[in-house]
Amino acid sequence: MTKQPPAVYLLHGSDEYSLSQSVAEIHAHLGDQVAAAFSTTRFDGKTLSLNELENAVKSLPFMTERRLVVVEDPLASIKGKPQQARFISILDQTPSTTALVLVVNRDLRFKDGNSKKDHWLLRWAHSAGNQVYLRSHQAPRGTGM
């Protein structure tokens, strides 16, 4: 029995290079890159409607086992609790035939380590279990540069 891959990938942090590398790695796992291009959709969160996102994640893949949906800055157009709830509902209902990659170019963790104050999306990710892959990409500082 093979392990089911996560449906949602939440990548966050300030290191834009490593964020883009992670997206490229996920894309590479789709198999043949020419075929994968037909099953890949990219959105800018500043102009994305939740209806568009829902339609994209529920569409079947074409010529690949999984569909890839990448959303840059998914939080840009989500305003208020009703939209947050709808967004989380879409994430919860993302089928296993879709890899939904959310790229957030900032750290979603509360700075003092208090997880109860973390961003609402990060709290959802911690509660979603194996359905979500979570990775922080922080820009190197000091000797790490």
Side-chain angles (χ1 to χ4, degrees):
M1 185 161 114
T2 60
K3 183 181 172 190
Q4 183 90 350
V8 179
Y9 295 76
L10 176 55
L11 311 175
H12 70 101
S14 58
D15 188 351
E16 291 183 27
Y17 177 75
S18 66
L19 284 166
S20 65
Q21 289 299 108
S22 286
V23 173
E25 288 173 23
I26 295 166
H27 191 270
H29 280 93
L30 292 179
D32 177 39
Q33 295 302 288
V34 174
F38 290 107
S39 283
T40 300
T41 304
R42 293 182 177 269
F43 292 110
D44 180 348
K46 294 177 189 100
T47 58
L48 177 67
S49 78
L50 293 178
N51 287 338
E52 287 176 312
L53 178 61
E54 186 171 31
N55 289 335
V57 299
K58 290 184 176 179
S59 295
L60 293 174
F62 180 69
M63 297 175 37
T64 59
E65 286 186 36
R66 296 186 83 198
R67 172 173 190 68
L68 177 64
V69 177
V70 179
V71 183
E72 296 280 343
D73 198 11
L75 303 173
S77 61
I78 297 175
K79 308 293 184 223
K81 299 270 185 200
Q83 283 190 328
Q84 288 175 9
R86 173 119 190 269
F87 185 70
I88 286 175
S89 175
I90 293 168
L91 299 181
D92 285 335
Q93 295 175 25
T94 300
S96 61
T97 55
T98 297
L100 173 58
V101 181
L102 306 173
V103 182
V104 180
N105 289 327
R106 65 183 173 95
D107 191 0
L108 297 176
R109 295 174 297 184
F110 192 72
K111 299 302 179 210
D112 73 357
N114 184 346
S115 62
K116 292 183 193 249
K117 294 182 181 179
D118 284 342
H119 192 276
W120 60 266
L121 184 57
L122 191 59
R123 288 194 309 268
W124 168 82
H126 286 296
S127 70
N130 293 335
Q131 177 187 356
V132 66
Y133 171 83
L134 177 62
R135 186 162 181 196
S136 176
H137 295 272
Q138 300 312 315
R141 297 182 189 159
T143 59
M145 302 257 331

